[in-house]
């Protein structure tokens, strides 16, 4: 990636500027100055699933404009998956990108954001509106975008529309047959009252290592931002009172041994 960027690489975490945030979560956040000063901001999301938000895409990609540990801190402050959906929209609207180009050449399905299940899609999707693009991605995954809370919130805030009549599509929009959602993805949006209530608690998902795959390398333990993991009998175990369900351990595991259950 560094070679491809040539002399144009910029570390987005080098300098930040404090700006006002939604006080329900934090009064201020530090945003990458490179992003705030840019004349044009192009976001490059990936077509993939995510256990906490069902899918990740144009809106959630902007979570990366917060350098460093703030991302984990906001996860912690949000506390529940429902509030985390609202946080990602709040971060997104700090500086709305001008253009979105999504890599859907090879997408990810199943237990994202670090699932080994890849899906050949063969498309690059581009849009100037994130809500419309994420609405299209949701439909391609077989989801009703209106059931995803972060999209409902973004639409309510006037950031765009996911209704198909409001989106002009140039090119193809294939619906991916039997696309695999994250373990709770289908139920989380199905309107099942019990599952909806579970989504509002801190107990929805927790990391759990598969003893058959885990090599006890302790990478997850070292990288957990809140030190929620300890090794017990050569397997990392999460303290559910401390874990903020940030998914870092799942993303970092080289063996894909960490699942969320
Ligand atoms: S145990 Fe995993 S999901 Fe929980 S806080 Fe640590 S890195 Fe994040
Ligand atoms: S990073 Fe993966 S393989 Fe290493 S200890 Fe954690 S779960 Fe096991």
């Amino acid at each position: 990636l560094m070679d491809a960027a040539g002399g144009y690489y910029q570390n987005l975490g080098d300098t930040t500027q404090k700006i006002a945030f939604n006080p329900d979560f934090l009064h201020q956040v530090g945003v990458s100055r490179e992003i705030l000063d840019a004349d044009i901001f192009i976001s490059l999301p990936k077509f993939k699933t995510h256990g906490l938000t069902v899918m990740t895409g144009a809106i959630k990609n902007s979570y990366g404009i917060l350098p460093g540990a703030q991302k984990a801190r906001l996860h912690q402050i949000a506390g529940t998956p429902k509030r985390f959906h609202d946080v990602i929209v709040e971060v997104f609207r700090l500086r709305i990108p001008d253009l979105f180009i999504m890599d859907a050449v090879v997408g990810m399905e199943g237990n994202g954001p670090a699932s080994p299940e890849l899906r050949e899609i063969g498309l690059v999707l581009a849009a100037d509106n994130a809500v419309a693009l994420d609405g299209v991605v949701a439909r391609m995954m077989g989801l009703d975008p209106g059931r995803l809370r972060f999209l409902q919130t973004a639409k309510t805030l006037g950031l765009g529309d996911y209704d198909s009549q409001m989106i002009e599509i140039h090119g193809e929009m294939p619906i991916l047959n039997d696309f695999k959602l994250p373990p709770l993805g289908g139920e989380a949006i199905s309107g099942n009252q019990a599952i909806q209530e579970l989504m509002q608690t801190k107990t929805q998902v927790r990391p759990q290592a598969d003893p058959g795959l885990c090599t006890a390398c302790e990478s997850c333990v070292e990288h957990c931002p809140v030190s929620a993991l300890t090794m017990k009998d050569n397997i990392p175990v999460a303290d559910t009172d401390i874990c903020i369900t940030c998914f870092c351990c799942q993303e970092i595991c080289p063996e894909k041994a960490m699942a969320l259950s």
Side-chain angles (χ1 to χ4, degrees):
L1 288 173
M2 293 292 280
D3 285 349
Y8 296 100
Y9 172 77
Q10 291 283 348
N11 183 343
L12 298 184
D14 271 353
T15 53
T16 59
Q17 183 178 324
K18 291 270 183 211
I19 58 175
F21 195 61
N22 183 331
D24 282 351
F25 303 104
L26 272 178
H27 286 280
Q28 276 190 325
V29 287
V31 175
S32 165
R33 195 179 285 277
E34 298 288 345
I35 297 285
L36 294 175
D37 289 349
D39 296 325
I40 296 176
F41 174 19
I42 303 172
S43 176
L44 305 174
K46 183 84 193 167
F47 188 110
K48 58 193 275 194
T49 50
H50 194 285
L52 212 52
T53 51
V54 186
M55 57 161 275
T56 180
I59 291 178
K60 189 170 178 305
N61 200 42
S62 280
Y63 206 53
I65 70 172
L66 302 180
Q70 291 177 104
K71 290 189 274 294
R73 184 151 179 242
L74 267 175
H75 257 289
Q76 191 171 22
I77 289 168
T80 66
K82 184 169 173 258
R83 272 169 53 90
F84 184 65
H85 278 239
D86 296 344
V87 163
I88 61 172
V89 178
E90 291 297 334
V91 174
F92 169 76
R93 65 187 186 134
L94 290 172
R95 168 58 167 103
I96 295 175
D98 303 287
L99 179 66
F100 305 87
I101 303 175
M102 178 179 285
D103 173 5
V105 177
V106 178
M108 179 186 288
E109 60 184 342
N111 192 20
S115 163
E117 295 182 273
L118 304 181
R119 180 87 177 230
E120 300 276 346
I121 302 169
L123 290 175
V124 173
L125 313 174
D128 61 2
N129 184 277
V131 185
L133 178 54
D134 283 352
V136 165
V137 170
R139 285 198 178 85
M140 287 174 67
M141 290 180 175
L143 289 163
D144 173 358
R147 288 186 179 273
L148 296 174
R149 181 174 171 91
F150 73 89
L151 281 180
Q152 294 165 2
T153 306
K155 181 175 172 174
T156 306
L157 290 169
L159 302 176
D161 204 329
Y162 45 74
D163 284 347
S164 42
Q165 312 91 291
M166 303 297 291
I167 302 172
E168 193 179 335
I169 292 178
H170 299 265
E172 51 180 318
M173 192 197 87
I175 308 297
L176 304 173
N177 290 330
D178 304 319
F179 189 85
K180 289 186 204 156
L181 297 174
L184 277 178
E187 293 89 334
I189 57 154
S190 68
N192 178 318
Q193 189 59 31
I195 297 289
Q196 293 291 339
E197 283 166 14
L198 198 58
M199 284 284 284
Q200 296 183 31
T201 72
K202 278 182 62 112
T203 57
Q204 188 219 350
V205 281
R206 285 292 175 266
Q208 213 160 23
D210 179 340
L213 295 175
C214 176
T215 58
C217 71
E218 301 193 21
S219 229
C220 54
V221 177
E222 284 160 28
H223 287 88
C224 173
V226 291
S227 304
L229 290 167
T230 45
M231 297 301 284
K232 286 191 184 133
D233 300 328
N234 277 338
I235 286 284
V237 176
D239 182 329
T240 52
D241 289 336
I242 301 174
C243 174
I244 56 171
T245 55
C246 67
F247 289 76
C248 292
C249 54
Q250 194 202 12
E251 292 212 50
I252 211 141
C253 174
E255 310 300 331
K256 304 283 180 235
M258 198 59 104
L260 293 134
S261 56

